[in-house]
Amino acid sequence: MVRLISMGIECISSMVFLIPVIIILQYILFKQHGFYQFVMILITAIYFMAMYSVTGLPTAYTLRFDFSLNLIPLIDIMNSPAEYIKNTVLNILLFMPLGFLLPVIWSEYRNAKKMVLTGLALSVIIEILQIFTFRFTDIDDLITNTLGTALGYVIAKMISFKLPLKISEKEKTVSMKYEPVIIWGTVFLIGFFLKPLVSNAIWDAVLYSSWWEGIK
């Protein structure tokens, strides 16, 4: 029950900012007015925010320097095989939507090499940011995250990219060309500065409510 409440608070705290920001990006910056486009972009933004939360990226209010680093692949499998396999599977599943959504929505990413490099680059950014949290920076995460991206791309290719937004070349601007990067950067800024303010306020209200004792 507590976990469901926590997920609900995270979701509400994110959507308060994500929906209006995506509307502004779509209708003012990118000048795209299709409802289908808006829905797909919003799904991508929600996925990025979920990735932000799951990977435990830092916020402006929880920054701490903890340089825990592993550069030797597969070394942890000897210590706890079951836990290692579990983390490997979860990392792969976490990045599969990245490999699926980007090429389905943006034709620029319908290239296996570009998509794999995108997954690797995003994974590197996440691992670097985790230096400023309690999380462990691990080369195995880079491998499994990139693998997950590649598998997502394969699945997208298997359905022949039948869900493209069909943005013509003439309509594209520089901002639209880098739309996924802009969305990720926007999500990061929301998660880093704004979402904690709302989630903390909600948690304060929940923790001091009379029914919280019964839930615990």
Side-chain angles (χ1 to χ4, degrees):
M1 185 64 178
V2 174
R3 187 165 185 177
L4 289 176
I5 293 174
S6 178
M7 291 173 60
I9 291 175
E10 288 293 311
C11 182
I12 293 172
S13 303
S14 302
M15 299 304 289
V16 165
F17 299 105
L18 275 182
I19 292 178
V21 166
I22 295 302
I23 290 175
I24 292 171
L25 287 176
Q26 285 297 102
Y27 293 96
I28 297 179
L29 179 60
F30 303 135
K31 299 186 184 302
Q32 300 177 37
H33 305 290
F35 179 73
Y36 173 74
Q37 293 172 327
F38 170 77
V39 171
M40 293 300 290
I41 299 301
L42 181 60
I43 289 173
T44 303
I46 293 172
Y47 163 68
F48 281 150
M49 184 59 75
M51 177 187 287
Y52 185 104
S53 299
V54 170
T55 54
L57 294 184
T59 71
Y61 318 99
T62 61
L63 283 174
R64 52 169 288 187
F65 186 79
D66 184 6
F67 194 71
S68 301
L69 179 66
N70 171 43
L71 295 177
I72 305 176
L74 305 177
I75 190 172
D76 289 336
I77 196 172
M78 304 301 296
N79 300 326
S80 180
E83 188 68 20
Y84 183 88
I85 293 173
K86 175 186 174 183
N87 290 335
T88 296
V89 172
L90 291 177
N91 283 339
I92 291 174
L93 292 175
L94 178 63
F95 269 72
M96 284 180 66
L98 178 71
F100 179 86
L101 287 171
L102 266 61
V104 165
I105 300 174
W106 293 279
S107 57
E108 293 90 344
Y109 289 87
R110 294 180 189 174
N111 176 283
K113 181 178 179 180
K114 183 173 184 178
M115 198 61 247
V116 168
L117 289 176
T118 299
L120 176 61
L122 182 56
S123 183
V124 168
I125 292 172
I126 289 173
E127 293 302 311
I128 291 175
L129 289 172
Q130 285 180 341
I131 293 175
F132 301 96
T133 69
F134 61 89
R135 302 294 289 265
F136 190 67
T137 301
D138 196 338
I139 192 172
D140 286 344
D141 291 344
L142 296 179
I143 297 172
T144 53
N145 293 346
T146 306
L147 177 59
T149 304
L151 290 176
Y153 177 86
V154 170
I155 294 174
K157 190 172 183 179
M158 286 174 62
I159 66 171
S160 302
F161 307 123
K162 293 181 179 179
L163 300 173
L165 293 183
K166 298 179 180 176
I167 303 172
S168 69
E169 295 295 330
K170 292 182 180 180
E171 293 175 331
K172 288 183 179 178
T173 62
V174 174
S175 61
M176 289 169 64
K177 182 178 180 182
Y178 297 101
E179 192 171 7
V181 178
I182 294 173
I183 293 171
W184 161 253
T186 302
V187 167
F188 175 79
L189 292 176
I190 290 174
F192 190 78
F193 290 107
L194 300 178
K195 184 169 74 73
L197 296 176
V198 176
S199 62
N200 290 342
I202 295 176
W203 270 117
D204 287 342
V206 169
L207 293 176
Y208 287 102
S209 63
S210 57
W211 55 272
W212 176 249
E213 293 296 325
I215 294 176
K216 289 196 301 181

